[in-house]
Amino acid sequence: RGMGKAMPDSAIVPQTSRGEIALKPSELLPACIDVLHTFEPSKTTVDSHHQEYVQRHRILDPTDVKFIHQVLYGCQRYKKLLRVFLSSFYFKHSGEVLRADRPLYTVLAYLSLLRLEELTFEGFKKLVLSQDFVKTRVFLRFTFSEDNLNTWLKEGWLTLYEPHYVQTELIDQVLKFEPEVRALVEELDRRQAMGEAKKVAEAQAAAALAEGRGGMGRHTVPEPFNLTRPAARLLPHPEH
């Protein structure tokens, strides 16, 4: 359970430079998920796979390139910690989550447990809001729960890290954001309710139109979110 040194690739993410178009949150998070899902460690290295991926998908913004690399690298380096999380999460919510979404939850867990302070909650929120409400909501409720952290995750993490580290650097760090996450979950609940209400209204409007009682409707298209750039911060100590 030795702690080792902090990750050398610790973390200053460069700012967007000359005219490169940054990915929207709805594009950046799926890119992180896809680069992780398509990585085959028996055939290539993190660096080689990352370089090939961003070139093939023409991801040019240096901030996005660096962020995607850090996510892939971090998910590999802390895979034991993340495996404990995913095993418990899937066991508790087996009827609500899909195995096919494991890469999504792996990336979200890495960002939540190890990078949230650096990313900032606003940046994290924009990524979350770009995804399916049902999937992210069940994740947030599990991850940012003191009871779940202590009941479902702590014991497994203690097989990897010292008790003080698990409490102060993992559990306490996550719970710092619990009030913000609670408000975010409430927002997701409202958005789902609004979406269901919109579907009902559209169905009623379609029925009215079929009966000759309809009129012209207007739909608001939400503007895309822009990811807040992470500030410099050292990551937790790596696994051994």
Side-chain angles (χ1 to χ4, degrees):
R1 286 194 272 170
M3 301 306 295
K5 295 182 180 179
M7 180 189 295
D9 185 36
S10 64
I12 299 177
V13 178
Q15 296 299 310
T16 302
S17 65
R18 304 182 290 276
E20 305 292 5
I21 300 176
L23 297 177
K24 301 173 185 176
S26 58
E27 299 167 330
L28 180 57
L29 188 57
C32 292
I33 295 166
D34 191 41
V35 76
L36 175 64
H37 180 62
T38 55
F39 177 56
E40 298 182 82
S42 63
K43 297 181 180 180
T44 186
T45 64
V46 166
D47 290 343
S48 295
H49 178 62
H50 168 261
Q51 184 177 19
E52 188 276 334
Y53 185 89
V54 296
Q55 289 177 347
R56 175 157 46 91
H57 292 275
R58 299 186 60 80
I59 299 172
L60 304 176
D61 173 51
T63 300
D64 293 338
V65 171
K66 185 68 172 181
F67 186 80
I68 292 169
H69 180 270
Q70 289 180 324
V71 170
L72 176 61
Y73 183 75
C75 287
Q76 292 303 306
R77 186 156 194 172
Y78 296 95
K79 59 185 177 182
K80 292 180 182 178
L81 181 152
L82 297 173
R83 189 181 299 125
V84 170
F85 174 90
L86 291 165
S87 296
S88 298
F89 175 64
Y90 270 90
F91 185 84
K92 185 175 184 183
H93 295 285
S94 58
E96 302 173 76
V97 293
L98 301 175
R99 287 289 169 185
D101 289 323
R102 190 179 181 91
L104 164 66
Y105 293 125
T106 301
V107 172
L108 288 178
Y110 169 68
L111 295 175
S112 299
L113 300 172
L114 299 168
R115 299 297 293 272
L116 187 49
E117 185 172 359
E118 176 184 357
L119 181 60
T120 77
F121 185 75
E122 285 305 309
F124 177 72
K125 177 179 178 180
K126 290 171 185 177
L127 290 172
V128 168
L129 290 177
S130 73
Q131 301 303 301
D132 181 272
F133 299 159
V134 175
K135 294 178 181 180
T136 54
R137 186 172 53 183
V138 67
F139 170 84
L140 293 172
R141 283 178 168 163
F142 176 82
T143 307
F144 292 86
S145 161
E146 183 173 8
D147 182 62
N148 289 336
L149 288 167
N150 284 293
T151 303
W152 290 89
L153 299 172
K154 187 173 184 177
E155 183 176 352
W157 285 340
L158 286 174
T159 66
L160 303 172
Y161 300 105
E162 297 294 340
H164 178 75
Y165 178 79
V166 169
Q167 186 62 48
T168 61
E169 298 299 326
L170 291 175
I171 294 175
D172 290 349
Q173 289 297 315
V174 170
L175 291 177
K176 282 169 53 177
F177 296 94
E178 192 274 334
E180 291 95 332
V181 170
R182 185 168 60 250
L184 177 56
V185 170
E186 291 173 356
E187 182 175 344
L188 293 176
D189 289 340
R190 288 194 299 271
R191 289 190 176 212
Q192 183 177 19
M194 290 173 61
E196 292 172 351
K198 182 180 178 181
K199 288 180 182 179
V200 172
E202 288 174 345
Q204 292 174 340
L209 186 62
E211 296 172 5
R213 298 184 286 107
M216 297 297 291
R218 296 179 62 189
H219 299 283
T220 301
V221 179
E223 296 182 359
F225 293 97
N226 293 315
L227 176 64
T228 301
R229 303 306 181 199
R233 171 179 174 263
L234 290 178
L235 286 176
H237 298 296
E239 301 169 359
H240 288 280

